[in-house]
Amino acid sequence: MDGFYIVIVLAPLLGAIVAGLFGKAVGREGAHIVTITGVTISFLLSVIVFWEHAIRGAEVYNETVYTWLVSDGIRFEIGFLVDNLTAMMMLVVTFVSLMVHIYTIGYMRDDPGYQRFFALISLFTFAMLTLVMANNFLQLFFGWEAVGLVSYLLIGFWYKRPTAIYANMKAFIVNRIGDFAFVLGIGAIVFHAASLDYMDVFASAETMSSATISILPGMEWSLLTVACILLFIGAMAKSAQVPLHVWLPDSMEGPTPISALIHAATMVTAGIFMVARMSPLYEFSTVALSFILVIGAITAFFMGLLGLVQNDIKRVVAYSTLSQLGYMTVALGASAYAAGLFHLMTHAFFKALLFLAAGSVIMAMHHNQDIRQMGGLRKYMPITYATALIGSLALIGIPGFSGFFSKDGIIEAVAYSTTPGAGMAYILILAGVFVTALYSFRMFFMVFHGPENFRHVEHHGHGHGHEDESHHEAGGDPKESPWVVTVPLILLAIPSVLAGYFVGPLLFGDFFDGVLYVDESRDVLARLGASYDGIWGFIVHGMMMPPFWLALAGVATAWYVFMQRPELADQVRNKFPRVYQAMLRSYGFDEFNDRVFAAGSRRLGNWLWRFGDTLIIDRILVNGTARSVGWISSRLRFSQTGYLYHYAFTMIVGLLVLIVYFVR
């Protein structure tokens, strides 16, 4: 089976190498053929893996492919751990990536960086597969850094735009902060477990739970708590949790296909996956779980609010991602790991669908992304409209759609949780349901319903070099996107509806048995599952619970305020100008990062350069040492006259001094 799994990982890498290094030789068509072929192979083989493990119940595969080196008894290896969790992640990553690859043919068809883009998204798929299939921390860290690197390259894909360079540097630097903590967490675990292998570390978890470390003199901290929090700080950057979320909205500077891939199947899901995989460690630290729970709840609600004041269609969807990642994080903190992973899966489908639908709209709108300058697109883009509606209904959790099953599972699980902070978290994520419905359908109604505001807008394009000119006829009506764009939308719409019907085995069944570990005292899903009576019972129960009515209230409010009485929104903005401005400024996080963190770092670096480099190193250590040696040698050379009697006299004087010293 080693060769089987190696092909899954390396097929996208091979496609990336061919498209990236030999792009001119294979041409544009050759670039998308070789990369799509590679991802298709990985997807088909992932389907087989999922069938064998999830359906037929194959044994867990945990083997080493090769040993890189052995240092002081610690083995640095490359290997695969394939169980139901891995199989699910492989299927999600490869399917969404395949849809994005096909979609890219239409979206990027006139872009001069066509081959480079296909090479990078294929490389992205390879990096994420490496991460989710790892059986040790070394390979996990390689995949972790690889997805960060490729996201940096893709966010700044249009490198001639200053905003794109700013955005990719922001993503890179914020993730370096998280990665610093992530490395420290891995180091603490490896130091005490003496192994990088997951299974060895998990076997040592109980022993490590009683160990302490001294971070500050006289203060003992639980080793596992510190290590778990450090690992989660790494996840906070990758999965964009407050306050390390600031890079994600700016990642919209990249082309729409990569926005879909980052937000749905790669990068941001890495942190959620990692914490779930490390559940045998986190279950020994209530403090770490409580920390995760609170951070996730704050992100879910307050980042969702920011979606209400965004007018860029991609940024609305981006803040939606932030909010939904908060829901997943809350589930992890409540020890409902299966619920978090279930929402990760359903979210991957409907969020990729929403981003790609947004891209379809952007193509029709001359690459104008302002939803205030759209409207009435329903009759011109029926496929995009229908699929965007499915994605929106799944996002807000309407019964029957995938997001309903996964989001309601999280909310109900948190209601049962006794982890400190669960009460506050429940209130925030419940309120977040209304907010999600409000900003989602504000965007949906303003784009597809209402007056055709696009007719009053002059279209000049953005000069990215990939516009579909058939959509840009002066005064012409918008047109539906080509089949390479609409087919992925339709294919993603199917699991956006049907994926939720796996709620039984994934949340309340044995799908994750032996993979996720939950302390019995915190097993909220077991308590929730005791009352589970099938899909239809789950739906009926959900229709009687607050989340359903809050979602409907959000949709109704969006229709009334933004379609029937748009002046109400202006009145609210005018009545609470400070609140509105604070939300426009993202609560000041960006200003803090620019003025305090970034500017402070530059000032610190400038001071270190002036004091440390110029004064200490140059003047004292380097030039000072040279001057000191020169001064000493200039004095000593007077003693070297070359006359023999001078040397003889010096020897006699020295001998007399020694005699006097020893006699006395």
Side-chain angles (χ1 to χ4, degrees), residues 103 313 352-362 381 384 387-388 448 489:
Y103 179 95
I313 187 171
L353 174 59
L354 285 171
F355 263 114
L356 298 188
S360 179
V361 169
I362 291 169
M381 309 181 72
T384 301
T387 53
F448 294 105
L489 294 180

Side-chain angles (χ1 to χ4, degrees), residues 43 48 66 178 276 281 350 441 443 447 450 490 517 523 537 553 564 627:
F43 169 65
I48 296 174
Y66 71 91
L281 304 181
F350 64 71
F441 274 84
M443 178 185 73
V447 171
I490 295 170
Y517 298 87
D523 197 348
Q564 303 300 312
R627 285 195 296 268

Side-chain angles (χ1 to χ4, degrees), residues 47-58 84 502 511:
V47 171
I48 296 174
V49 170
F50 186 83
W51 177 267
E52 290 294 322
H53 285 269
I55 308 301
R56 299 187 61 184
N84 284 359
F502 292 97
F511 186 85

Side-chain angles (χ1 to χ4, degrees), residues 241 291-301 323 326-327 329-330 429:
Q241 297 296 289
F291 179 71
I292 294 171
L293 186 69
V294 171
I295 291 294
I298 292 172
T299 304
F301 179 72
S323 180
Y327 277 88
T329 303
V330 166
I429 62 176

Side-chain angles (χ1 to χ4, degrees), residues 106-412:
Y107 193 86
M108 301 289 288
R109 72 179 191 178
D110 297 321
D111 196 285
Y114 190 85
Q115 293 99 313
R116 176 166 58 95
F117 189 81
F118 270 99
L120 289 174
I121 59 176
S122 192
L123 185 63
F124 213 163
T125 307
F126 156 74
M128 192 64 186
L129 286 172
T130 302
L131 187 154
V132 300
M133 295 175 69
N135 71 347
N136 61 82
F137 283 99
L138 172 68
Q139 189 172 329
L140 171 71
F141 186 70
F142 170 80
W144 192 269
E145 292 302 302
V147 294
L149 171 63
V150 181
S151 68
Y152 163 80
L153 296 173
L154 283 165
I155 293 169
F157 181 79
W158 289 316
Y159 53 85
K160 293 183 179 180
R161 295 165 54 185
T163 52
I165 298 304
Y166 174 82
N168 74 346
M169 284 301 297
K170 192 174 186 178
F172 190 81
I173 292 172
V174 171
N175 274 275
R176 296 292 71 73
I177 297 170
D179 291 349
F180 177 69
F182 190 62
V183 170
L184 290 178
I186 293 176
I189 290 172
V190 173
F191 180 78
H192 286 82
S195 177
L196 286 161
D197 186 85
Y198 287 163
M199 294 304 141
D200 293 340
V201 171
F202 295 162
S204 304
E206 189 170 0
T207 302
M208 287 193 290
S209 67
S210 59
T212 60
I213 56 175
S214 179
I215 299 177
L216 299 174
M219 297 182 65
E220 295 293 323
W221 296 68
S222 166
L223 163 68
L224 214 50
T225 294
V226 172
C228 286
I229 290 177
L230 287 171
L231 291 177
F232 178 67
I233 292 174
M236 286 171 63
K238 274 289 180 292
S239 295
Q241 297 296 289
V242 173
L244 300 181
H245 67 285
V246 292
W247 67 271
L248 195 62
D250 291 286
S251 70
M252 298 301 97
E253 290 295 330
T256 299
I258 195 52
S259 299
L261 198 56
I262 288 177
H263 287 241
T266 59
M267 188 69 172
V268 298
T269 60
I272 305 300
F273 166 80
M274 184 275 296
V275 174
R277 176 62 82 189
M278 298 299 138
S279 61
L281 304 181
Y282 280 93
E283 282 303 290
F284 284 99
S285 177
T286 303
V287 173
L289 290 174
S290 182
F291 179 71
I292 294 171
L293 186 69
V294 171
I295 291 294
I298 292 172
T299 304
F301 179 72
F302 289 100
M303 293 301 105
L305 282 177
L306 297 185
L308 292 170
V309 298
Q310 302 300 315
N311 295 312
D312 184 312
I313 187 171
K314 286 175 64 178
R315 279 185 171 261
V316 176
V317 185
Y319 279 105
S320 163
T321 299
L322 283 170
S323 180
Q324 297 309 301
L325 287 168
Y327 277 88
M328 299 176 211
T329 303
V330 166
L332 300 176
S335 295
Y337 303 101
L341 291 169
F342 186 34
H343 197 51
L344 182 154
M345 179 185 73
T346 61
H347 175 266
F349 299 134
F350 64 71
K351 186 51 59 68
L353 174 59
L354 285 171
F355 263 114
L356 298 188
S360 179
V361 169
I362 291 169
M363 291 172 66
M365 290 289 100
H366 313 252
H367 288 267
N368 179 4
Q369 299 178 188
D370 193 331
I371 61 176
R372 295 170 299 182
Q373 299 173 2
M374 299 180 187
L377 295 181
R378 175 181 55 174
K379 64 180 179 181
Y380 303 109
M381 309 181 72
I383 298 176
T384 301
Y385 171 79
T387 53
L389 177 60
I390 290 173
S392 299
L393 293 174
L395 170 61
I396 69 173
I398 293 299
F401 293 85
S402 63
F404 160 74
F405 297 100
S406 56
K407 186 184 287 187
D408 266 36
I410 292 174
I411 295 171
E412 291 291 319

